[in-house]
Structure formats: C-alpha cells, structure tokens
Amino acid sequence: MQIITTKQDLQREVEACKSHGKSIGLVPTMGALHAGHASLVRRAVSENNVCVVSVFVNPTQFNNKEDLALYPRDLQRDAQLLESIGAHYVFAPSPEEMYTAEEMSGTFRFDFGGLDKVMEGKMRPGHFNGVVQVVSRLFYLVRPDRVYFGEKDFQQLAIIRFMVERSELAGTFGDLRIVGCPIVREESGLAMSSRNERLSEEEKATATAIYRTLRESMKWAKTQSVREVEKRVVDTINSVDGLETEYYEIVDKTTLLPTDTFSNAIGCVTVYCGKVRLIDNIQY
Ligand code: AMP
C-alpha cells in the first residue's frame, strides 16, 4: 500500500493502473477510521482491481470551527487498518494541496435541486457545498469506476447521486457508479462514527437510546401517523438525560421532502450527546 499526498502523484498512479486495464474503486473518508469505513473499503477491494481511499478532513464542509478543530486525526493508525484490509492507495493531501486560497474561502456554490433545503442542509449552511466540492474534485482526479458511500449519511448519498445523475455535472465523470453501503453499528446499536471517539463510556451508553428509539418507532408506525411518530421519537430521545434532539424528520427516500406515508420513507435524526453531534437513520 502506498500513501500519496499530492494530486499529481495520485493522477500518475491511477493513470498507470488504468493503462493496464485495471478498474478503480474509491472510498472518500475523513479518517479516524472504524469498522463502518472498513466495510466500505472491503467492498471496494472485492469489486475492483485497485482501491483508493482518501483520508482528508475537508475544511470547507465544516460550518463549525470547533468541530473542525476537534475532529479526530490519526493517519498512521488509519494507514495500518487500510493496509490490513487490502487497500492499494491512501490519498492524504493537505488542505493547501487540495484547494487554492479562493477555493478554501467557501465561494463554491452548487445547485442541489432542493435536496439541501432540509435536515443537514438546513442545520449546517454550506455543508453540502463543501462535500460536493471535495467529492467532485476526487472524482476528477481519480476517475473511478465505483465510489462507495455509507447510508449513515443518507442525505449526503442522495446529494452525490443527484450530482452524478441529474446535476449540471452529470456525465462529466464517465461511467461512474455510486454504491450505497449499509450502516455498521456497535453491538449496542450505536451507529459507528469517528465522532464517537469524543464520547465518554457513559455517554456511549446513553447514546444507545437513539437507535433503540428508532427501532421502537417501527412499531409505532403501525398505528400512528408520520407526524405523531416524529414527535414521539423526539420526545422519547429528549426524555433521556444527556440527549437533545436537533431534528427528527421522516422524509421520502428519493426527494428527501417530508412525507405523510411510511412507504419509501426514511427517518433521519440528529442528536447532541453532550457536545457531540450524532446522526442516524432508519428506513420504514
Ligand atoms: P466520514 O469519514 O465520516 O466522512 O465517512 C466516510 C464514509 O464512511 C461516508 O460515506 C460515510 O457515510 C461512511 N460511514 C461512516 N460511518 C459509517 C457507518 N457506521 N456505517 C457505514 N458507513 C459509514
């Protein structure tokens, strides 16, 4: 496995692979890797000749400076994990390598066809602009055959699919396939996240109420309306000491717009556990 830090070296390596007819799988990450990331990488390794994993804490997708500063980073440990599961290249550039000063200043604007008006987009202005900025750059550099994303960040996955299939950028990345991968959880049910590293053991135990409540809500959905279930989820999570829901929205899986029925619906939640912001979702 090779660690690459410049765009030029990355392009040279992937071009050499392609000239030998090899297929390329890409897994974009922000590092502090866990079993959730590993599941994406394993799949990319098994479905492609070459697997490239990017490890880049993308400053332009953080609208909260403290969150960016506190984001866990450990490239050495990440590289060990990636090598052990068979990745071929790790791309770990500096922000200066990825962006010019102007690009870094957050002027990149992208039309999301409305997908960014709800949930994470509403709560974190500019977040998805930063995500699309970095992901599109990675796509242009690597020109992968397949790219792997987790369903844990369901809205992100929907926006990337929109970018590739329906936006003004559609068609510019070649025959790229976006592969969505299921959420990997701790035994306790807590969705794995790099941010879990910032939780104390006690908080980790507290946070298990999030998924427990989402699971319970599957039962409530049999007899109650969408809006009633939304309210009950929020009330139940908030009744736990140490948890505070930012939003729980049951939306259509395709449009991400609020829906009145449970068919093709997904419930997306964001909860503060102490100072740590956690997200999760459940498909009805
Ligand atoms: P991140 O490093 O948080 O930007 O995540 C990189 C990729 O890993 C994204 O596509 C995430 O959706 C995915 N991911 C993160 N956590 C999990 C998880 N628990 N299960 C599955 N995929 C995940």
Side-chain angles (χ1 to χ4, degrees):
M1 192 185 75
Q2 202 176 321
I3 299 179
I4 296 174
T5 56
T6 69
K7 292 182 291 208
Q8 210 182 7
D9 287 351
L10 177 66
Q11 281 183 300
R12 199 192 49 238
E13 289 295 328
V14 292
E15 284 315 318
C17 293
K18 279 185 208 172
S19 70
H20 290 96
K22 292 183 174 168
S23 60
I24 314 255
L26 170 67
V27 185
T29 83
M30 297 205 298
L33 303 179
H34 50 66
H37 298 109
S39 74
L40 273 55
V41 175
R42 283 201 183 91
R43 184 146 173 207
V45 168
S46 75
E47 294 180 350
N48 302 276
N49 300 124
V50 173
C51 170
V52 179
V53 181
S54 61
V55 173
F56 178 60
V57 183
N58 175 31
T60 67
Q61 72 186 67
F62 284 80
N63 56 334
N64 178 331
K65 284 207 175 79
E66 192 191 358
D67 194 24
L68 173 61
L70 292 176
Y71 203 85
R73 294 156 215 245
D74 191 342
L75 182 59
Q76 222 184 335
R77 210 193 68 188
D78 290 345
Q80 273 168 10
L81 173 72
L82 292 172
E83 178 140 46
S84 75
I85 53 182
H88 301 87
Y89 296 102
V90 179
F91 179 50
S94 64
E96 294 71 28
E97 174 66 20
M98 276 303 258
Y99 299 128
T100 62
E102 197 199 341
E103 287 168 341
M104 191 88 92
S105 68
T107 49
F108 179 89
R109 284 286 168 268
F110 181 78
D111 178 0
F112 297 94
L115 291 174
D116 62 325
K117 297 285 184 285
V118 293
M119 302 190 290
E120 290 299 279
K122 199 160 64 184
M123 294 301 166
R124 304 178 69 187
H127 168 66
F128 286 119
N129 268 302
V131 170
V132 166
Q133 183 181 27
V134 72
V135 167
S136 59
R137 172 127 323 160
L138 290 168
F139 287 6
Y140 284 125
L141 288 171
V142 178
R143 302 245 155 221
D145 297 275
R146 295 177 197 82
V147 190
Y148 297 79
F149 290 95
E151 287 179 350
K152 173 165 167 283
D153 301 274
F154 193 85
Q155 190 172 7
Q156 169 172 284
L157 178 57
I159 282 176
I160 304 289
R161 284 196 200 284
F162 171 82
M163 172 177 105
V164 169
E165 291 162 13
R166 287 180 286 146
S167 78
E168 72 262 34
L169 299 180
T172 59
F173 307 113
D175 267 344
L176 161 74
R177 243 195 79 209
I178 301 296
V179 184
C181 304
I183 301 178
V184 176
R185 300 180 178 280
E186 306 278 358
E187 244 172 71
S188 66
L190 179 64
M192 290 201 179
S193 164
S194 306
R195 289 189 169 85
N196 293 356
E197 286 186 23
R198 291 173 52 202
L199 298 173
S200 67
E201 286 310 310
E202 197 186 334
E203 285 174 323
K204 269 190 198 157
T206 305
T208 59
I210 301 169
Y211 186 54
R212 218 171 27 248
T213 307
L214 295 185
R215 293 263 310 262
E216 276 284 288
S217 78
M218 297 290 277
K219 288 184 210 147
W220 305 336
K222 289 184 183 143
T223 53
Q224 292 182 294
S225 73
V226 168
R227 297 289 94 77
E228 284 167 341
V229 170
E230 278 178 342
K231 182 170 182 318
R232 194 161 170 190
V233 166
V234 173
D235 290 347
T236 307
I237 294 176
N238 288 352
S239 71
V240 177
D241 247 7
L243 296 183
E244 185 67 43
T245 310
E246 187 175 66
Y247 65 78
Y248 182 58
E249 289 193 32
I250 297 175
V251 297
D252 180 272
K253 271 199 266 183
T254 316
T255 63
L256 300 186
L257 293 174
T259 174
D260 289 332
T261 92
F262 286 104
S263 85
N264 198 46
I266 182 165
C268 298
V269 75
T270 296
V271 179
Y272 278 92
C273 181
K275 290 185 95 175
V276 183
R277 191 173 183 275
L278 301 172
I279 66 172
D280 203 344
N281 61 65
I282 194 156
Q283 303 195 25
Y284 287 97

